[in-house]
Amino acid sequence: NAAPFEDPATLDIATLTHRMRTCCAYWGRVGLGAAVIAGIEGALWDLLGRLLDQPVCELLGGSRQADLPAYATGGPSPWPTDQLLEKADFYLGLGFTAFKVSSGYVDSGSREEVRAGSADEAVATEVEKLALLRDHVGPDAGILLDGHMGHREGDDRWDLETASRVLDALAPFGVILFEEPLPYTDLPGYVALTERSPIPVAGGEQLTTFEEFRTFVVNGAFTIGQPDAAWLGVGDFVRTAKLLAEQGNSVAPHAWGAGGAVMQNVHAAFASPNTVTVEIPPAAGPLHREIWGDSLVIRDGRVLRPEAPGLGIELTDRVKEAYPFRPGAEEFASVPGKVMRS
């Protein structure tokens, strides 16, 4: 109900968000608490857009392009490799012109990782994979890789030497970016890798505030930053993108969430002048489609600028009743590199 807001200009989202972060500093300075604040901020941007009958990307400073490159985010690389090629065909068959898969392999039967072992084996594995993919999809399809080093542990977690060797070896295959080749605890490693790598080094999905991101950006740790507006906050996303631009670097939003989360990232991407590509969940499920409706349009491998007011999302009572929250659901969600133990 917009009636209480006779003057929408009084809805000062930046000030309200700053107050929330200040008041919740002891539990929400970073991490999950900061993400909760980001969710409230996203709702405020949606409200303001509806009050002013404008899409959020316009409120954030004006959308600068009619469309942006998009890619299908692909999760693990399945083993055996014929299933990897089937996955690539599936994404391209949906109309995407680029896709992302992970480093390493996951056995499709056991769901266990196929361990590469030594640095030499890691290099050989990734080179063989990229040669196979590039030969299969041709020279024009975009390929992105994700190291998931925020989850991998022990011998499976790369160090600077291993990451450097892998990225050097993959240079001939035209990889758009390599996401999270190192853990976030290794800031010096990221800085050194970004300085020397022939492939753009990307990261940032686990960083939850602008201040966290600034430490990485000002030290030159990323060629491409990957803020997530639903995790970082819409405002901090745009601030981060501007800081990256000042350093001569780019932004590619991380967008792995339901419909509202994806649309926050799409709007923030269009408000940022240095966006190089947008992550899109392919073959989206009902908690994507039924929330974003007609607001998200992918055409010829590109996402179109949103035009609906606010975030262009609708969370109806019917959707909430059809997909009720169940305590404990997804509490232990498996991801590539995360070993689930009882």
Side-chain angles (χ1 to χ4, degrees), residues 129-200:
K129 179 192 303 171
L130 264 293
L132 185 70
L133 282 171
R134 185 55 75 196
D135 180 67
H136 184 73
V137 302
D140 298 327
I143 301 175
L144 302 83
L145 284 175
D146 188 346
H148 294 293
M149 293 303 158
H151 297 296
R152 292 196 162 108
E153 299 289 347
D155 294 339
D156 292 325
R157 177 170 278 192
W158 294 354
D159 58 12
L160 174 60
E161 179 185 359
T162 301
S164 296
R165 291 183 57 194
V166 170
L167 270 60
D168 284 346
L170 296 182
F173 299 104
V175 176
I176 293 175
L177 61 80
F178 200 112
E179 178 177 336
E180 293 185 336
L182 294 169
Y184 291 106
T185 51
D186 190 5
L187 174 59
Y190 265 105
V191 174
L193 183 63
T194 297
E195 287 177 349
R196 69 180 69 165
S197 173
I199 293 174

Side-chain angles (χ1 to χ4, degrees), residues 174-264:
V175 176
I176 293 175
L177 61 80
F178 200 112
E179 178 177 336
E180 293 185 336
L182 294 169
Y184 291 106
T185 51
D186 190 5
L187 174 59
Y190 265 105
V191 174
L193 183 63
T194 297
E195 287 177 349
R196 69 180 69 165
S197 173
I199 293 174
V201 174
E205 68 177 64
Q206 295 183 31
L207 307 181
T208 48
T209 66
F210 171 75
E211 299 300 333
E212 271 194 294
F213 245 108
R214 181 163 61 180
T215 299
F216 282 81
V217 174
V218 299
N219 283 285
F222 303 136
T223 309
I224 301 175
Q226 294 178 292
D228 187 327
W231 185 241
L232 182 78
V234 172
D236 273 8
F237 179 114
V238 175
R239 292 176 68 198
T240 298
K242 289 179 179 177
L243 183 62
L244 284 159
E246 291 170 3
Q247 304 289 326
N249 295 320
S250 304
V251 67
H254 172 266
W256 188 249
V262 172
M263 291 309 297
Q264 287 178 71

